Amino acid sequence: DAGVTQSPTHLIKTRGQQVTLRCSPISGHKSVSWYQQVLGQGPQFIFQYYEKEERGRGNFPDRFSARQFPNYSSELNVNALLLGDSALYLCASSFGQVGTNEKLFFGSGTQLSVL
Amino acid sequence: GDSVTQMEGPVTLSEEAFLTINCTYTATGYPSLFWYVQYPGEGLQLLLKATKADDKGSNKGFEATYRKETTSFHLEKGSVQVSDSAVYFCALSLASGGSYIPTFGRGTSLIVHP
């Protein structure tokens, strides 16, 4: 069975541009969450979507937005890119809403470089 | 706010050595605790978890015990292998406004030499 897939794997953008990252969860999983991982740091929670509704948001500016589609895939959008947005963006899926007993399955991430 | 603190890496060991990676947390409630592992070029994988005080999580020879009195969740393995070389992340999950927000530590790199 396919795991969590993210696209693209690498992306280079310039300051002020907009970017869209995509994530396909494991078949049957209804929850997708997004994380930003800056080099040398742990993943930082951005969003969680469950059944196409936003169920949690981390401490990120409004330039970050996301949505979940009827097939449970998800997109993360970042507008007005800043140099500090350069990071590995991880997507994780789980069957139910992220909670104490939900196991998260992570994709390999999208490496975003902002020049 | 909630936070997770891990020991600085890299941790460098010889094969068959004993491993301890320290993890302490700060949380306003009673979190669940996790260890994730990230092998080179791969996504994070759940290694083990514990959901309440005194629980012991274990998997693949790794163990960690939820210590509420010391707010710790140290990762241990009795005999490491070269294949254990990876980055290890301690994390907590706590309810916030009706959803569970995961918080990760910065990760500890483990390098095991033959």
Side-chain angles (χ1 to χ4, degrees):
Chain A
D1 287 340
V4 177
T5 57
Q6 292 186 243
S7 63
T9 55
H10 294 84
L11 203 51
I12 299 175
K13 292 285 188 178
T14 57
R15 280 180 298 174
Q17 285 188 312
Q18 176 264 342
V19 68
T20 298
L21 311 180
R22 296 176 177 82
C23 172
S24 294
I26 290 172
S27 177
H29 284 191
K30 300 180 180 181
S31 177
V32 169
S33 50
W34 287 95
Y35 303 82
Q36 181 193 66
Q37 186 177 12
V38 174
L39 189 64
Q41 302 290 324
Q44 188 170 358
F45 174 77
I46 308 175
F47 285 111
Q48 185 207 157
Y49 278 78
Y50 176 69
E51 287 285 14
K52 291 151 281 184
E53 292 186 1
E54 182 181 306
R55 295 299 183 100
R57 172 186 281 257
N59 188 24
F60 279 81
D62 292 342
R63 298 185 297 108
F64 289 76
S65 63
R67 54 180 174 169
Q68 187 176 33
F69 298 100
N71 66 354
Y72 301 108
S73 67
S74 178
E75 287 183 350
L76 175 70
N77 296 286
V78 186
N79 293 323
L81 284 167
L82 304 174
L83 295 179
D85 295 331
S86 295
L88 180 67
Y89 288 85
L90 296 169
C91 172
S93 77
S94 59
F95 179 74
Q97 189 171 346
V98 173
T100 57
N101 291 316
E102 281 294 334
K103 181 176 179 179
L104 295 177
F105 295 81
F106 282 84
S108 297
T110 294
Q111 184 65 54
L112 172 65
S113 298
V114 182
L115 305 179
Chain B
D2 304 327
S3 65
V4 175
T5 303
Q6 294 182 232
M7 62 187 292
E8 292 279 337
V11 173
T12 304
L13 296 172
S14 298
E15 206 166 25
E16 299 184 3
F18 184 85
L19 168 71
T20 299
I21 299 178
N22 291 337
C23 170
T24 57
Y25 68 89
T26 302
T28 53
Y30 299 100
S32 291
L33 301 174
F34 307 83
W35 276 101
Y36 284 84
V37 58
Q38 188 174 30
Y39 298 103
E42 299 183 14
L44 279 74
Q45 303 173 29
L46 179 65
L47 182 59
L48 54 84
K49 68 178 183 183
T51 58
K52 62 183 187 297
D54 299 325
D55 268 2
K56 177 185 284 188
S58 61
N59 187 26
K60 300 181 181 180
F62 291 90
E63 293 183 340
T65 301
Y66 190 141
R67 300 289 188 199
K68 182 182 170 185
E69 62 276 11
T70 54
T71 62
S72 65
F73 193 55
H74 304 322
L75 182 68
E76 296 182 336
K77 186 176 185 183
S79 176
V80 293
Q81 305 301 312
V82 172
S83 57
D84 294 326
S85 298
V87 181
Y88 293 80
F89 293 92
C90 185
L92 65 82
S93 178
L94 195 61
S96 175
S99 61
Y100 287 87
I101 305 299
T103 301
F104 289 83
R106 64 189 302 162
T108 301
S109 175
L110 170 65
I111 302 169
V112 181
H113 294 293

